[in-house]
Amino acid sequence: MPLPSPPPPPRPAPVRHGAPAARHIVMLAFEGARLLDVTGPLEVFSAAARLGGRYEIHLCSPDGSAVTTASGTRLAVDAGMPESGAPPLDTVLVPGAEELTQGRFPPGLLDAVRTLAGRSRRVASVCAGAFALAGAGLLDGRRATTHWRHTATLAARHPTLSVDPDAIYVRDGHLFTSAGVSAGIDLALALVEADEGPGLAREVARDLVVFMQRPGGQSQFSVPARTPRPRHDALRALLDEIAADPAADHSNTVLAAKAGLSPRHLARLFREHTGTTPAGYVEAVRLEAAQTLLANGESATATARRTGIGSDETLRRLFLRRLGVTPSAYRARFCTTTR
């Protein structure tokens, strides 16, 4: 199938002798792609270019036609895939779509992924875009990740693939895969840091008001958000109260009294609906609150007090046990995207 040539680019500004060439970033959009999978990484590279990074961004589709994303937003693309005579490609980005997880690929997508991958320095997927990389044969025998809801499906469909269900993004050689939707922003920031250094990546993160590096893995996302809402009214009220004020007295005795239940009955309900004990749930919420405070520059002492964890030493032991790092090391992670 002949591929149309991209339109001529605008006349570039004069280039100083010996200046490095721009890195060409190609986002391969297609029918049904998730909008944020496309626009999130492009915002990162666009901000990086505006702040001095050497990037040129291209939005393409397999056949050069405009595409309609999963949200119904219509995206006009630059053209079809760049032809072989075009400037060398640096990075190819493949967004995700729900259909990909079901083994349904838009016409021409897998061929386009293979072609672009053969001409680029590195290939990256966002969310379920990993299914397109795997379907194109790029991930055989590799490590990868995808949206937490689909990691088991990806592993079952591609047995030679080692799937990390808890990673925000995974690098295996020149191949990068990222977790659900907004993790594409995390990955793009890491790519900018690798290209241009942590200084520019930090400026981009500040410009977009996002974490330089998101804390933890996919399992570190909001405790209330990833806990199914219990059917039991009293338990629902307790979970809301814990989330609203982590530092309050949430001992088993106090919680049971508020719910009008015995401590034993309350423990059974927690185990049934949250998969953990009352104390375990409270600890997880407090840890999450502590992560947020530390990331925003709060001291360890104030963080321990404001979250109900208690002392600096208790905070330190909790971080080591649950995250494998000290509070100070955790705070330092926000200075770089490197994991």
Side-chain angles (χ1 to χ4, degrees):
M1 178 183 67
L3 299 174
S5 299
R11 181 179 296 276
V15 178
R16 297 187 306 272
H17 178 70
R23 298 182 179 92
H24 291 264
I25 309 296
V26 174
M27 174 65 75
L28 181 60
F30 54 87
E31 285 292 312
R34 294 190 74 159
L35 181 61
L36 188 57
D37 286 11
V38 175
T39 58
L42 292 186
E43 282 290 344
V44 171
F45 286 109
S46 175
R50 189 174 67 253
L51 294 169
R54 294 164 294 138
Y55 294 109
E56 288 189 13
I57 300 166
H58 309 272
L59 179 61
C60 300
S61 67
D63 64 359
S65 300
V67 299
T68 302
T69 64
S71 66
T73 303
R74 188 84 169 156
L75 295 179
V77 302
D78 299 331
M81 296 188 301
E83 293 184 343
S84 57
L89 304 182
D90 182 85
T91 305
V92 173
L93 298 162
V94 182
E98 191 67 24
E99 289 73 17
L100 304 187
T101 69
Q102 301 160 9
R104 303 202 307 269
F105 301 100
L109 176 61
L110 296 186
D111 286 341
V113 169
R114 294 186 192 101
T115 299
L116 291 174
R119 296 184 46 217
S120 63
R121 179 172 69 93
R122 61 191 176 192
V123 181
S125 66
V126 182
C127 193
F131 284 83
L133 267 57
L138 302 184
L139 297 181
D140 293 348
R142 302 274 192 168
R143 288 180 59 249
T145 192
T146 188
H147 191 292
W148 62 266
R149 185 175 285 118
H150 303 303
T151 52
T153 301
L154 182 63
R157 190 169 298 161
H158 300 277
T160 68
L161 180 57
S162 176
V163 179
D164 186 339
D166 191 44
I168 294 295
Y169 62 83
V170 168
R171 175 181 182 175
D172 190 328
H174 70 292
L175 299 170
F176 297 77
T177 52
S178 60
V181 193
S182 61
I185 294 174
D186 300 79
L187 173 57
L189 279 170
L191 297 179
V192 169
E193 182 181 11
D195 294 340
E196 300 282 353
L200 180 61
R202 207 160 27 242
E203 287 301 309
V204 173
R206 291 194 187 107
D207 183 65
L208 300 180
V209 197
V210 296
F211 284 132
M212 178 71 164
Q213 179 191 333
R214 191 193 309 234
Q218 296 188 71
S219 65
Q220 299 299 323
F221 294 162
S222 169
V223 175
R226 69 174 187 263
T227 302
R229 292 294 286 171
R231 297 183 299 276
H232 196 284
D233 291 342
L235 186 56
R236 277 202 307 275
L238 288 181
L239 298 189
D240 291 341
E241 187 171 331
I242 293 168
D245 187 7
D249 184 355
H250 298 308
S251 64
N252 288 9
T253 303
V254 169
L255 291 176
K258 288 180 178 179
L261 303 169
S262 70
R264 180 175 294 182
H265 188 189
L266 181 66
R268 284 200 300 268
L269 285 176
F270 259 86
R271 179 66 68 182
E272 176 184 349
H273 291 278
T274 71
T276 187
T277 64
Y281 187 85
V282 171
E283 181 180 83
V285 172
R286 287 174 172 169
L287 174 63
E288 189 170 81
Q291 289 175 268
T292 300
L293 289 173
L294 288 170
N296 289 331
E298 193 66 84
S299 69
T301 300
T303 295
R305 174 179 51 81
R306 291 179 60 186
T307 58
I309 290 172
S311 68
D312 291 20
E313 181 57 30
T314 303
L315 179 71
R316 182 176 181 278
R317 289 199 303 267
L318 176 59
F319 266 66
L320 285 171
R321 175 165 51 85
R322 297 289 292 264
L323 301 178
V325 295
T326 63
S328 59
Y330 177 86
R331 184 192 287 115
R333 287 187 176 186
F334 286 86
C335 296
T336 178
T337 61
T338 303
R339 293 186 171 268

